[in-house]
Amino acid sequence: MQSDTITAAAGWHEEKGRTVSLLVVTDDRLHTGQRDWHLATRWPLATDVHVALDLLRKTGEGDGGPVQGWGWSATLDFTGWFLRLAHDPKQNFSTQDATRFVAGVRF
């Protein structure tokens, strides 16, 4: 199976559970120059509660022409469930922005 993306990442993790990572995803199938950069961090607030933040930079050619935008997500992560608020500019390189609130459980 052939992939349509090239992904590169680097990160740091410590024993207390704090992490920081930088990730880039590049679409190489249509030569649109689409790139998503993520600077993500996850920090413990208490024994069973973490906060995760993700800063997104998006560039490339989309459905409606050139795309440049900043997005983000913020997550409160509990042992069995989580809450997330996110903003994704030009989602999937379309002409539409998306803001989402998500609540989920793990099973």
Side-chain angles (χ1 to χ4, degrees), residues 74-104:
T75 305
L76 270 177
D77 198 3
F78 300 90
T79 301
W81 60 285
F82 65 92
L83 297 171
R84 178 175 296 136
L85 182 62
H87 175 70
D88 185 2
K90 310 301 178 215
Q91 68 176 350
N92 297 322
F93 287 86
S94 72
T95 58
Q96 297 184 348
D97 295 343
T99 300
R100 299 179 190 90
F101 174 75
V102 179

Side-chain angles (χ1 to χ4, degrees), residues 10-14 17-22 38-43:
W12 168 80
H13 174 78
E14 70 157 12
R18 291 182 272 192
T19 65
V20 177
S21 62
L22 179 63
H38 292 267
L39 178 61
T41 185
R42 187 170 187 264
W43 295 79

Side-chain angles (χ1 to χ4, degrees), residues 3-89:
S3 175
D4 295 335
T5 62
I6 299 169
T7 304
W12 168 80
H13 174 78
E14 70 157 12
E15 289 180 21
K16 295 179 182 178
R18 291 182 272 192
T19 65
V20 177
S21 62
L22 179 63
L23 169 82
V24 62
V25 179
T26 301
D27 185 350
D28 71 337
R29 65 193 157 132
L30 301 175
H31 307 290
T32 58
Q34 293 178 353
R35 286 187 179 77
D36 284 333
W37 290 85
H38 292 267
L39 178 61
T41 185
R42 187 170 187 264
W43 295 79
L45 298 179
T47 303
D48 59 350
V49 180
H50 292 79
V51 64
L53 303 172
D54 181 0
L55 180 63
L56 162 69
R57 175 69 176 156
K58 182 181 289 191
T59 58
E61 287 296 317
D63 295 344
V67 170
Q68 290 192 32
W70 290 91
W72 53 269
S73 72
T75 305
L76 270 177
D77 198 3
F78 300 90
T79 301
W81 60 285
F82 65 92
L83 297 171
R84 178 175 296 136
L85 182 62
H87 175 70
D88 185 2

